[in-house]
Amino acid sequence: MATTPAPLPIASLLGSDDYSDLTLACEGQEFKAHKAIVCTQSPVLAAALRGDFEEARTNLVNINFDLVTCKQMINFLYTGQYEVSSSEEPGRPRDKKLNVEGLAVIDDNGWFSSPYIKAIVFDSYVIDSPTTLTADTEAYELVSEQQNTSERLLSHVRVNAIADYYAVTALCQLANSKICEIIQTEWSPIVFTNVVKEALNSTGDDSFYEMMARLAAEHIAELMEIDTFVKLELPSNFAMGLLQNCSKRLEEAKNEIQKAKMAKADADFLRLEFETRNKENELRLNYVNECFENLNDIDQCRNSNCSTEFPFYIESNCILRCSKCRCRHSLDKRGRFR
């Protein structure tokens, strides 16, 4: 029985000179690579390394992105994953003073301030401008968290940008999933605005803008309070996606309202039916009680030929009948048996 061969240890070739036939250069550093690994994942690099191009002659490709992002792409090509750098990881030590331009600030009077947002947050109104906070201020922790989130998101946006540029589709998808997860779990309208602003100048990935449009639609009320977001010159695919998602959410809201109205109408109908039946039952019960009270006035059968004591039974609809002669005793207009 034939066995399936074990997968090649591609990750072990990361940065190795063994079998290397390609060099990727970025910011003065060179990385040994392998065409079979790189070109099968990037049609852009594959095209550059074919034909009458300088890259094809020299087997050297200059990566025109920052060094950290370049390394993240290379790591992905060999391992299928990438990580943010240690300086971007949550919980890293921060400077005594924190530059908070573009982020939320609480001033000495307890006012929540920012150049990008005008809304009531933590019972404070946004009125102020960016400042620098020291670690012992009340707002330091809040702003530190927002800045940390912003840095991690922007790192993933840059990964998306390089993946889009070199058409590494799987890397685009991975970066988008990381971006989406952070935005959903650490939502901040200010950070979201900064990310969109950065992305407009770096990536053309349609799937990224579709995702961001969907997320923006979910928080459109908050975002419309931010002047910087309102003034962004959004690309057509983002703007159209935002409109479509807002329209979809509006339609869903209308449907939910309609369902709620129908449910209320059904509940009102059932309540009315219950009340009507309850009243009918009360009338029947009162009628039966009156009938039983009237039995005390009957001591014999109205049939003059029936001379025994008056044993009786009651049929449906309150019909009283003598159990001996079967004579019927019906109710008169006053509700009395006769």
Side-chain angles (χ1 to χ4, degrees):
M1 179 177 177
T3 58
T4 303
L8 294 175
I10 295 176
S12 64
L13 296 175
L14 178 61
S16 173
D17 289 342
D18 294 343
Y19 317 112
S20 173
D21 54 1
L22 173 64
T23 300
L24 302 176
C26 180
E27 294 185 354
Q29 292 192 31
E30 294 185 349
F31 305 92
K32 296 299 180 181
H34 307 80
K35 292 181 182 179
I37 296 173
V38 173
C39 295
T40 53
Q41 299 182 73
S42 170
V44 173
L45 290 173
L49 292 167
R50 290 196 301 264
D52 191 25
F53 294 101
E54 181 180 354
E55 290 85 354
R57 292 192 298 270
T58 62
N59 290 320
L60 174 66
V61 177
N62 288 303
I63 305 297
N64 296 320
F65 284 81
D66 66 274
L67 183 60
V68 171
T69 305
C70 175
K71 288 180 178 180
Q72 289 168 327
M73 181 182 72
I74 295 173
N75 283 336
F76 175 83
L77 294 174
Y78 282 82
T79 67
Q81 292 291 332
Y82 76 90
E83 301 294 337
V84 296
S85 65
S86 58
S87 63
E88 296 165 319
E89 291 176 352
R92 70 179 177 87
R94 295 195 171 276
D95 297 333
K96 182 74 173 178
K97 289 189 176 182
L98 184 64
N99 186 344
V100 296
E101 183 172 1
L103 297 174
V105 184
I106 300 176
D107 63 21
D108 294 338
N109 297 320
W111 292 90
F112 200 88
S113 59
S114 165
Y116 292 154
I117 185 168
K118 291 181 179 179
I120 296 177
V121 183
F122 302 140
D123 297 326
S124 301
Y125 192 75
V126 178
I127 57 172
D128 222 342
S129 59
T131 64
T132 299
L133 297 177
T134 55
D136 57 353
T137 63
E138 181 182 359
Y140 181 88
E141 188 64 27
L142 172 64
V143 177
S144 176
E145 290 177 2
Q146 287 197 348
Q147 190 174 70
N148 179 273
T149 301
S150 182
E151 289 173 356
R152 286 184 289 127
L153 280 169
L154 292 177
S155 176
H156 294 305
V157 168
R158 288 188 283 271
V159 172
N160 173 276
I162 195 172
D164 176 65
Y165 185 85
Y166 290 109
V168 186
T169 304
L171 181 55
C172 277
Q173 294 172 347
L174 179 60
N176 286 344
S177 68
K178 291 176 180 288
I179 292 169
C180 184
E181 180 181 4
I182 294 174
I183 290 176
Q184 289 180 325
T185 58
E186 304 176 41
W187 169 255
S188 164
I190 301 169
V191 171
F192 184 88
T193 299
N194 289 341
V195 171
V196 173
K197 186 177 180 181
E198 170 82 10
L200 295 179
N201 301 318
S202 60
T203 183
D205 177 28
D206 288 338
S207 61
F208 169 81
Y209 289 115
E210 291 173 3
M211 174 189 70
M212 297 298 280
R214 175 176 55 80
L215 293 170
E218 294 176 2
H219 302 275
I220 191 63
E222 293 176 83
L223 292 171
M224 292 305 294
E225 294 291 336
I226 303 178
D227 291 339
T228 303
F229 181 83
V230 174
K231 294 176 182 178
L232 286 175
E233 295 183 3
L234 301 175
S236 59
N237 53 351
F238 186 106
M240 184 60 66
L242 180 57
L243 288 174
Q244 290 174 341
N245 279 279
C246 286
S247 176
K248 180 180 178 181
R249 291 178 64 83
L250 180 60
E251 189 64 28
E252 290 174 349
K254 288 182 179 179
N255 291 336
E256 289 299 320
I257 292 174
Q258 185 63 27
K259 288 180 181 178
K261 288 182 178 179
M262 293 176 64
K264 183 178 183 301
D266 290 342
D268 290 342
F269 174 79
L270 292 174
R271 178 179 55 78
L272 180 60
E273 184 178 22
F274 173 79
E275 291 176 351
T276 301
R277 290 185 177 181
N278 192 44
K279 288 180 180 179
E280 292 175 352
N281 290 333
E282 287 180 359
L283 291 175
R284 290 193 182 100
L285 181 60
N286 291 335
Y287 185 69
V288 171
N289 288 334
E290 289 179 3
C291 290
F292 277 105
E293 289 177 1
N294 294 334
L295 288 176
N296 295 325
D297 298 332
I298 303 176
D299 55 3
Q300 64 182 14
C301 178
R302 71 185 183 91
N303 181 3
S304 58
N305 296 323
C306 183
S307 59
T308 62
E309 293 183 0
F310 187 53
F312 64 90
Y313 62 91
I314 299 176
E315 295 180 344
S316 60
N317 298 323
C318 295
I319 295 175
L320 186 69
R321 194 179 292 277
C322 179
S323 60
K324 181 179 179 181
C325 69
R326 309 289 182 178
C327 179
R328 176 176 175 177
H329 293 247
S330 58
L331 290 169
D332 60 19
K333 294 182 178 180
R334 293 177 299 172
R336 295 179 178 277
F337 288 107
R338 56 181 178 80

